[in-house]
Amino acid sequence: VVYVTNNSMWYRADYVTRLSSMGAPVSPDRIVSSARATALFLAECSPKPACTLVVGGAGLVHELRDVGLEVMLSADAAERWSANGRDAAAATRGVDTVVVGLDLEFTYARLAVAAEAVRAGARFVATNRDPIYPMERGLMPGAGAVVAAIVTAGGVEPVSIGKPGPLLLQVAAHALGRPVTEAVMIGDSLITDIPAAVAVGARSVLMLTGISTAAQLAALPPDRRPTEVAANAEELAAALDRLARS
């Protein structure tokens, strides 16, 4: 079992603690967040990034440093920008990569330095493009909203790691040394989870316990539908049994 998530704010150890408390089987190597996938993606790039400007949370910074990448915090670059006559080029000198995730303290200054680095030719990578982020009290702006601001100001589209694109699942499979086509993607979203499985040629199970409904599923063309559908844990177990025999 591998857990994949578009959330880039938390470090793998945080997910291990949360999942273990629910009784789920988990270890750090079985957590592939968009932050972890982004770090692994960049670590294998040629040339490897020399200095990465990070617009995002502590978990993203931790994952990038774990694979040996040099990191410049957008907060530090923004502080230099403000202190030195708003010279964004000077504030980001040496940056050749910009990585963007959900940043709960995003500011105009952070936007300015990130956009300048992108305009100057830095590799631009988004952990995900989710426009909203569900929280206890409702929906909040997601990483995609932060990315969109930098796209608008920088004039460049990023490589996007998270679902519904294929890279998150490809990195997860590669980390385990297994073909991604052997995977069965289990998720509740017809916007991210199932399209990601379709994109990599993996089988999938749509859970009707979250954000997607049977009516939304019925409206999809056959080539965009999941392999199986389950309304509860018992139906999920039966679906996985069928897939194991196929």
Side-chain angles (χ1 to χ4, degrees):
V1 177
V2 182
Y3 303 89
V4 295
T5 174
N6 270 4
N7 194 323
S8 65
M9 290 196 300
W10 311 111
Y11 185 55
R12 278 167 291 153
D14 300 319
Y15 286 107
V16 171
T17 300
R18 294 167 66 182
L19 289 166
S20 295
S21 70
M22 301 174 193
V26 63
S27 58
D29 64 314
R30 297 305 174 100
I31 302 291
V32 183
S33 66
S34 63
R36 175 63 173 169
T38 298
L40 294 173
F41 171 79
L42 289 174
E44 295 189 0
C45 280
S46 181
K48 185 176 179 179
C51 182
T52 301
L53 178 70
V54 180
V55 181
L60 176 57
V61 172
H62 200 159
E63 294 289 4
L64 293 171
R65 286 176 170 161
D66 263 7
V67 297
L69 297 180
E70 181 181 339
V71 168
M72 178 187 294
L73 303 181
S74 62
D76 294 340
E79 186 175 329
R80 288 193 294 273
W81 176 81
S82 299
N84 295 295
R86 298 186 175 182
D87 186 344
T92 57
R93 187 169 289 115
V95 167
D96 63 353
T97 304
V98 176
V99 171
V100 182
L102 180 55
D103 184 350
L104 299 183
E105 299 179 359
F106 190 55
T107 63
Y108 184 87
R110 296 187 188 190
L111 169 60
V113 294
E116 169 60 30
V118 168
R119 284 195 301 271
R123 179 191 287 120
F124 185 14
V125 180
T127 60
N128 69 89
R129 301 292 294 267
D130 294 352
I132 54 176
Y133 177 61
M135 300 184 75
E136 289 82 357
R137 297 186 179 181
L139 298 176
M140 302 295 287
V146 179
V147 172
I150 297 171
V151 169
T152 300
V156 177
E157 288 288 337
V159 172
S160 185
I161 301 297
K163 303 170 291 183
L167 288 176
L168 180 59
L169 299 190
Q170 289 172 342
V171 170
H174 181 68
L176 297 177
R178 301 290 292 274
V180 71
T181 51
E182 292 182 1
V184 176
M185 177 68 179
I186 304 167
D188 69 350
S189 174
L190 288 170
I191 298 173
T192 57
D193 298 326
I194 305 308
V198 171
V200 297
R203 296 166 295 172
S204 61
V205 181
L206 174 68
M207 296 300 299
L208 297 176
T209 54
I211 64 172
S212 297
T213 66
Q216 291 171 329
L217 173 61
L220 289 178
D223 62 345
R224 294 175 55 194
R225 293 182 183 180
T227 315
E228 295 273 356
V229 181
N232 52 47
E234 184 178 39
E235 290 185 9
L236 172 60
L240 291 176
D241 283 341
R242 287 192 295 272
L243 291 172
R245 293 193 299 268
S246 63

